[in-house]
Amino acid sequence: MVRLNKYLADCGVGSRRECDRLISDGVVVVNGKKATLGMEVSEHDQISVNGKRVGDKQKNYYLMLHKPKGYVTTVKDDLGRKTVMDLIDVKARLYPVGRLDYDTEGLLILTNDGDLANRLTHPRNEVNKTYICRISGMLTDKERLQLERGVLIDGVKTAPARVRILKQDQHHTRCEITIHEGRNRQVKKMFEAVGKEVEFLKRVAVGELRLGGLKRGQHRFLNDYEVEYLKKL
Ligand code: URA
């Protein structure tokens, strides 16, 4: 037996929270009766959502893509630009977890597991994301500390971050920055807040899951260890 919200999430209906909402809305029916929050079901039960039968649990796929710049992180782009889905040849209906800007490259996870996608992107879970960036000019230690302690973007202070300077000369600084929030264009806006422009941005890790040697535009399936690790984050 398994909780109904988990069963529905495993069937690809939505995240557990979304499934709970459907149950509360009274649109989930189990064996002809309106379902209730917290109830348990087995695969022998007849379950429908909005009158549509929910069948076998879907197989979940998890993969990482090395997103190149010049691709939109979406399933379909209204402006007809190339999307990250153009780089994936998996038949299942996958979708990206979180977002990288059009001109950002690096590690993007794709899955059809709505529960995991929600968990990885929910601010409460504070999942670390690590980026390598090249910025204009020299980043001073004072600015580095400001970034680490939090800067105002759109009037709201950012959570503590970790910033390491990897290399610098008078014109550029190469650094590694780890943040656990996922605000829109966050890294670029953080550097903007200390008067620096991000010229190049690449996500190299989500938690301890690293992009490694995966080539730009290539993808690979995550192994069981990696999937279990992400589920525990
Ligand atoms: N921060 C940004 O500014 N852009 C991204 O794509 C990701 C994080």
Side-chain angles (χ1 to χ4, degrees):
M1 296 290 275
V2 58
R3 299 265 288 213
L4 177 58
N5 61 357
K6 175 164 170 34
Y7 184 89
L8 293 173
D10 288 347
C11 289
V13 173
S15 68
R16 283 190 212 184
R17 198 152 7 115
E18 285 160 356
C19 293
D20 273 338
R21 209 169 308 128
L22 292 170
I23 297 168
S24 304
D25 289 349
V27 298
V28 182
V29 172
V30 177
N31 303 327
K33 286 200 188 121
K34 236 182 228 179
T36 51
L37 278 175
M39 75 182 286
E40 299 203 324
V41 293
S42 78
E43 63 266 32
H44 305 300
D45 290 311
Q46 303 238 334
I47 301 169
S48 65
V49 176
N50 281 319
K52 237 174 97 191
R53 178 82 195 268
V54 177
D56 305 326
K57 284 189 188 180
Q58 72 174 359
K59 181 169 164 40
N60 283 331
Y61 295 91
Y62 307 88
L63 54 90
M64 70 155 77
L65 167 72
H66 184 159
K67 174 195 175 299
K69 59 183 175 190
Y71 286 81
V72 196
T73 307
T74 181
V75 173
K76 194 169 175 343
D77 182 49
D78 292 340
L79 302 177
R81 291 171 296 180
K82 290 182 287 190
T83 80
V84 290
M85 303 317 288
D86 295 331
L87 297 161
I88 306 289
D89 53 11
V90 179
K91 291 275 177 290
R93 280 177 48 193
L94 304 183
Y95 45 90
V97 178
R99 210 173 70 86
L100 291 176
D101 295 338
Y102 187 71
D103 59 352
T104 299
E105 55 182 65
L107 171 53
L108 188 67
I109 296 168
L110 294 110
T111 184
N112 54 347
D113 180 343
D115 234 8
L116 180 72
N118 257 20
R119 220 145 356 114
L120 290 177
T121 49
H122 198 291
R124 186 187 53 218
N125 294 327
E126 302 191 352
V127 175
N128 279 335
K129 272 97 44 183
T130 302
Y131 299 83
I132 298 285
C133 54
R134 189 184 67 231
I135 59 161
S136 57
M138 283 186 90
L139 188 75
T140 63
D141 217 44
K142 186 165 167 235
E143 290 163 343
R144 188 184 66 77
L145 284 172
Q146 272 178 284
L147 290 167
E148 289 204 328
R149 288 181 186 143
V151 289
L152 283 183
I153 58 178
D154 305 323
V156 181
K157 195 170 172 186
T158 55
R162 196 162 41 96
V163 181
R164 258 191 335 134
I165 295 176
L166 303 174
K167 195 175 164 194
Q168 67 183 164
D169 59 31
Q170 279 169 325
H171 307 291
H172 305 286
T173 304
R174 196 175 163 78
C175 37
E176 185 189 80
I177 176 165
T178 302
I179 58 173
H180 61 69
E181 296 171 295
R183 287 155 69 179
N184 190 28
R185 300 180 65 250
Q186 175 152 350
V187 174
K188 291 174 189 160
K189 286 183 176 171
M190 285 174 73
F191 281 100
E192 257 168 47
V194 296
K196 297 288 188 286
E197 187 196 346
V198 172
E199 298 170 338
F200 169 83
L201 186 59
K202 175 177 180 177
R203 180 154 71 195
V204 291
V206 172
E208 297 296 319
L209 181 71
R210 299 195 73 83
L211 188 58
L214 194 65
K215 299 256 182 319
R216 254 187 220 112
Q218 301 289 302
H219 63 273
R220 70 165 178 85
F221 286 95
L222 300 185
N223 63 38
D224 292 347
Y225 277 126
E226 292 169 327
V227 172
E228 282 315 305
Y229 166 73
L230 290 178
K231 285 184 175 176
K232 288 198 183 110
L233 275 178

